[in-house]
Amino acid sequence: AECERLRNDLGRERLASLYQRTGAPLHSAYALPQLRAFYATQPSSDVKSRINKWTTIASICINRWTGGNLKRFNFPISPSEASWTGMYAFRGTGWDEEVMLHLSREAREALPSPCGFDTVPDHLLAIHGDSPYWDRWPELRGGDGSNYGCRLTPGIGDGACANIGSKCTSDRRIAVTVGTSAAARIVLPLPVDRGSPRSSSSSITGSPIEVPPGLFCYRIDAHHVLVGGALTDGGSVVEWLRSIFNISSDEAFLEVMARIERKYVNERNKAGDDISAITTVPFLSGERSTGFRSGATGVLSGITRETTADDIIQSCLEGMILRLNAVINLIVNARQSLATSNEEEDEERPVIIASGNGLV
């Protein structure tokens, strides 16, 4: 409902402009409609007594490890985590001004202050002698005999962490992760000026990044952004299928997958590429990339009396993979467009690195 109200209030042109500034489309998965809905249903007096600051799990942990006081909590948020909310102007250094106009005063005052990784005061990030964790974690003490230990770092968005963990930290690799949800992401440079120095790990630089329709663009640090798309249903499709077909054990599911693989190979050898009789769009929980329609529903088409449970499972998995492929194609096109705008040629397609429990 809040998304629809915002669409009506902003109009198409302002929505498009907001998308380009924040790197996030208007969708119920982001903080703006969620905060508006929350504060609209809470009495002002209750909000003030219950909420001091909105923050992240990483900030709470760092505050606790460094001996901070939760009652006077005012820990900043990194550009990476702020951008992940969909309210951060990713080319700048703070919350988007127009977004703030659509939040109540109580909501604005409860937001943490964005702060760059290198500008957070040391006393907020260093484990010191007064912290209860000083004795618990002696490995994190400094070796110079001082009362301050190692410097922690503010939180990083989970998508950026997934790329780092997959060693996909340049524009030459796309990280694909399939867990409960699924996503494909690439790290791109955030240019400042044409002709600015280029990172040795990057093949493109120089022109301003335009957010490709259908994808998101989150700030990582001062020099990089994360461009990609996510599906609400990834591994959750598998869990749903196992539930409705009562495939409770992993062994039984592996047997099903083995049968599907054998049948797929046999039919492909006979019929070529176009062998699927069933078409499935597995929007079990709405759509994020590429259409960002919260109310979208799934489709299962082409079933007959001969259709088996294996056929439906295969079709659902194919549908999820094809949605990921659509995201990957948009990422490749966006990367190539940025290279082309800089008058550079880079015809090499990025390597895809896949990971996640949903693949097991």
Side-chain angles (χ1 to χ4, degrees):
E2 285 300 327
C3 287
E4 198 59 38
R5 291 190 188 97
L6 284 166
R7 287 191 183 93
N8 294 333
D9 291 345
L10 291 169
R12 183 174 297 180
E13 290 186 5
R14 289 171 64 191
L15 270 178
S17 177
L18 184 66
Y19 188 1
Q20 287 299 319
R21 294 196 310 273
T22 63
L26 181 61
H27 190 272
S28 59
Y30 290 108
L32 175 58
Q34 292 177 5
L35 287 173
R36 281 172 56 94
F38 176 82
Y39 280 93
T41 59
Q42 302 294 320
S44 180
S45 58
D46 289 351
V47 166
K48 289 181 180 179
S49 63
R50 292 170 50 203
I51 299 172
N52 176 29
K53 284 288 181 183
W54 294 105
T55 189
T56 66
I57 295 296
S59 296
I60 291 175
C61 289
I62 293 173
N63 182 76
R64 179 170 296 177
W65 295 338
T66 55
N69 189 334
L70 283 176
K71 292 182 179 180
R72 297 192 301 272
F73 190 88
N74 195 26
F75 198 89
I77 188 172
S78 72
S80 177
E81 288 191 310
S83 189
W84 180 67
T85 69
M87 302 192 301
Y88 185 83
F90 76 87
R91 297 179 184 85
T93 58
W95 301 114
D96 183 79
E97 292 181 1
E98 187 171 16
V99 167
M100 294 298 101
L101 295 177
H102 290 277
L103 290 176
S104 66
R105 178 176 57 84
E106 291 85 0
R108 294 195 301 269
E109 292 177 349
L111 291 176
S113 300
C115 193
F117 289 101
D118 297 329
T119 56
V120 179
D122 284 341
H123 73 274
L124 293 178
L125 294 174
I127 294 180
H128 51 79
D130 296 331
S131 165
Y133 292 86
W134 181 262
D135 293 326
R136 184 179 298 184
W137 296 337
E139 298 86 354
L140 299 184
R141 298 178 190 175
D144 56 1
S146 70
N147 201 38
Y148 282 87
C150 71
R151 188 179 191 273
L152 303 175
T153 182
I156 300 173
D158 64 343
C161 289
N163 273 61
I164 293 170
S166 300
K167 298 184 178 180
C168 297
T169 55
S170 78
D171 64 300
R172 298 189 182 279
R173 288 187 169 198
I174 297 174
V176 174
T177 53
V178 182
T180 302
S181 57
R185 314 174 184 93
I186 193 171
V187 174
L188 295 178
L190 180 63
V192 178
D193 297 302
R194 178 176 289 278
S196 59
R198 179 197 310 186
S199 167
S200 60
S201 64
S202 174
S203 63
I204 51 181
T205 188
S207 292
I209 288 179
E210 293 295 321
V211 183
L215 301 180
F216 55 69
C217 182
Y218 302 152
R219 184 79 167 263
I220 301 177
D221 57 19
H223 306 292
H224 301 88
V225 291
L226 190 72
V227 175
L231 313 181
T232 303
D233 294 296
S236 60
V237 174
V238 175
E239 292 303 313
W240 176 72
L241 289 167
R242 290 182 62 166
S243 174
I244 63 173
F245 290 119
N246 196 26
I247 308 173
S248 56
S249 70
D250 292 341
E251 292 78 9
F253 182 70
L254 290 175
E255 290 179 9
V256 171
M257 294 304 297
R259 290 199 303 268
I260 290 173
E261 182 179 3
R262 288 194 297 269
K263 181 180 178 182
Y264 176 82
V265 171
N266 291 335
E267 290 185 353
R268 181 166 184 174
N269 290 337
K270 296 176 183 177
D273 291 340
D274 189 14
I275 60 175
S276 181
I278 304 175
T279 299
T280 302
V281 181
F283 291 158
L284 305 180
S285 311
E287 180 190 15
R288 281 195 270 175
S289 298
T290 56
F292 293 102
R293 296 170 296 173
S294 300
T297 56
V299 172
L300 178 62
S301 173
I303 61 174
T304 67
R305 286 183 179 274
E306 285 72 38
T307 300
T308 66
D310 289 5
D311 295 331
I312 294 175
I313 292 171
Q314 176 183 342
S315 179
C316 287
L317 295 177
E318 287 176 347
M320 185 264 289
I321 292 169
L322 288 172
R323 295 308 304 159
L324 270 176
N325 185 63
V327 172
I328 291 170
N329 286 336
L330 287 177
I331 292 173
V332 172
N333 292 339
R335 175 185 180 275
Q336 190 58 42
S337 296
L338 189 57
T340 303
S341 67
N342 286 286
E343 300 176 354
E344 299 176 4
E345 293 186 5
D346 187 12
E347 298 180 356
E348 182 180 353
R349 188 177 177 91
V351 175
I352 295 174
I353 307 296
S355 63
N357 290 336
L359 294 174
V360 178

